[in-house]
Amino acid sequence: MKALVLSGGAGTRLRPITHTSAKQLVPVANKPVLFYGLEAIAEAGINEVGIIVGDTADEIREAVGDGSRFGIEVTYIPQEAPLGLAHAVLIAQDFLGDDDFVMYLGDNFIVGGITGLVEEFRTERPDAQILLTKVPNPTSFGVAELGGDGRVVGLEEKPKQPKSDLALVGVYLFTPAIHEAVRSIEPSWRGELEITHAIQWLIDEKRDVRSTTISGYWKDTGNVTDMLEVNRSVLETLESHNAGAVDGTSEIIGRVRIEEGARISGSRIVGPAVIGAGTVVNDAYIGPFTSVSEGCRIEDSEIEYSIVLRGSSVTGVRRVEASLIGRNVEVTPAPRNPKAHRLVLGDHSKVQISS
């Protein structure tokens, strides 16, 4: 069995971060979200992985390499434009051959991995197996309609009037039957080959399409709110570790991971939180659910429930929260402009001015 990982999207919902960085490489607890998916694939016993890449191909290649650090062998498959998930399957056919495969969206995060799902698929081998989860806003997702027997009877991509609240999670398992399906469909109104249309084709052809509804944690990390929520979820599982230097005037409370070369002085850190290698924290407060990457400086500031990327600094800022701060960013106080009152007052006026 092989894996096909999609890492070619533009990440428009995470701009401006993704103007200069691949969305799949934005870190969660100081590890790129893509790495969690690759680790889950390796844990499921799959070692041949094709990665679909687009405009950020060089950055993905530099981060992932040949895959050996994850225990996998990586083949990169260029996609000239994000033309749909089914298009990704279409251009990956030479790599996939006649093997079963799991398709994993590189910016998705699933707690607990996919090992059980892969084992079930290997045993049962339906033509397609999809993951579903209940969502409050199904119009933003591909949505599945189930029949009375629980089987999938219909799929729609971002429907205006959803027939259910069951959204497709970004993990799919297929036999080679999907190749005929992706060749048989036409582009949608969005100009993309939709994987929902390909799976619907399998359903219409009376192929065996099954679903698993998951109740565990899943997030599409395509926007800042979800990225911060995933960061929170991962930090909940953090174990305390200190490989840095913490002076006697600092206070470390709860589960905090301080990586090699980090220096903490005159500060208070309340976990769960992670401080990256070589980062300096001085006279600062770092609150729960905060990830500070390597080579950063947090000084005379307060920050909580945030992600700070590599090489950035936050100095002299009273309070920062629920923020995603990119690489090599400088956050400082605004200049204090002199305040003055400009008045035009009529005769016999009375004015009260707060100092």
Side-chain angles (χ1 to χ4, degrees):
M1 194 168 182
K2 293 177 179 175
L4 185 65
V5 177
L6 276 61
S7 296
T12 55
R13 291 178 294 158
L14 272 176
R15 287 178 179 167
I17 299 293
T18 50
H19 279 309
T20 53
S21 177
K23 65 176 180 177
Q24 298 85 5
L25 296 181
V26 176
V28 170
N30 285 5
K31 182 165 66 176
V33 67
L34 173 62
F35 289 10
Y36 292 94
L38 295 178
E39 289 169 354
I41 288 166
E43 288 169 4
I46 300 171
N47 53 32
E48 292 184 73
V49 180
I51 300 182
I52 301 290
V53 291
D55 292 341
T56 58
D58 291 344
E59 192 177 6
I60 298 290
R61 287 174 185 266
E62 182 180 356
V64 177
D66 62 3
S68 57
R69 62 185 292 187
F70 305 100
I72 59 176
E73 181 180 332
V74 170
T75 299
Y76 293 97
I77 304 167
Q79 186 181 35
E80 69 271 18
L83 298 174
L85 304 188
H87 181 263
V89 176
L90 192 66
I91 64 173
Q93 186 165 0
D94 287 346
F95 165 74
L96 296 169
D98 293 327
D99 292 311
D100 297 346
F101 67 98
V102 56
M103 183 167 75
Y104 198 114
L105 273 58
D107 60 352
N108 275 226
F109 185 89
I110 300 175
V111 169
I114 60 171
T115 300
L117 181 73
V118 168
E119 290 175 351
E120 178 185 350
F121 181 82
R122 280 173 163 154
T123 301
E124 303 291 335
R125 287 200 77 234
D127 293 299
Q129 178 95 16
I130 60 176
L131 264 67
L132 305 175
T133 191
K134 290 187 176 183
V135 295
N137 54 333
T139 55
S140 301
F141 301 93
V143 175
E145 180 185 4
L146 304 183
D149 59 356
R151 288 187 175 271
V152 184
V153 297
L155 297 172
E156 292 182 279
E157 186 64 33
K158 296 180 173 64
K160 293 181 179 179
Q161 295 182 322
K163 295 179 180 178
S164 80
D165 60 355
L166 293 171
L168 276 75
V169 174
V171 177
Y172 310 78
L173 296 106
F174 297 114
T175 67
I178 193 65
H179 297 303
E180 183 180 1
V182 299
R183 290 193 300 266
S184 302
I185 60 174
E186 298 292 331
S188 67
W189 62 271
R190 301 193 300 169
E192 298 184 4
L193 289 176
E194 310 284 3
I195 198 66
T196 47
H197 292 178
I199 299 171
Q200 184 65 54
W201 186 90
L202 292 174
I203 294 169
D204 295 341
E205 292 293 314
K206 310 301 181 186
R207 302 294 184 91
D208 187 5
V209 177
R210 303 183 189 180
S211 69
T212 300
T213 301
I214 63 172
S215 57
Y217 188 84
W218 164 79
K219 279 288 184 183
D220 169 5
T221 61
N223 61 52
V224 173
T225 299
D226 287 342
M227 182 66 71
L228 292 173
E229 175 62 18
V230 169
N231 189 63
R232 182 202 64 77
S233 177
V234 174
L235 289 178
E236 288 277 21
T237 66
L238 190 73
E239 294 184 2
S240 298
H241 176 71
N242 182 13
V246 180
D247 77 353
T249 65
S250 296
E251 188 177 12
I252 309 298
I253 301 172
R255 290 172 287 113
V256 177
R257 187 176 76 221
I258 302 172
E259 297 178 348
E260 187 175 356
R263 291 180 288 126
I264 317 298
S265 60
S267 298
R268 188 169 187 256
I269 302 177
V270 180
V274 56
I275 310 299
T279 284
V280 175
V281 181
N282 183 41
D283 293 332
Y285 167 77
I286 296 178
F289 309 119
T290 302
S291 296
V292 182
S293 295
E294 67 271 18
C296 294
R297 175 175 287 273
I298 311 295
E299 189 167 14
D300 189 25
S301 300
E302 299 179 2
I303 186 167
E304 183 170 302
Y305 191 63
S306 295
I307 298 173
V308 182
L309 273 60
R310 185 179 68 242
S312 291
S313 63
V314 180
T315 57
V317 179
R318 188 169 184 179
R319 184 76 173 180
V320 176
E321 62 182 25
S323 298
L324 175 56
I325 297 172
R327 296 176 295 185
N328 301 310
V329 170
E330 294 182 7
V331 181
T332 59
R336 294 183 178 179
N337 296 321
K339 293 181 179 179
H341 301 285
R342 186 175 181 180
L343 308 174
V344 177
L345 302 175
D347 297 347
H348 310 296
S349 297
K350 292 184 179 180
V351 179
Q352 291 181 332
I353 296 176
S354 299
S355 58

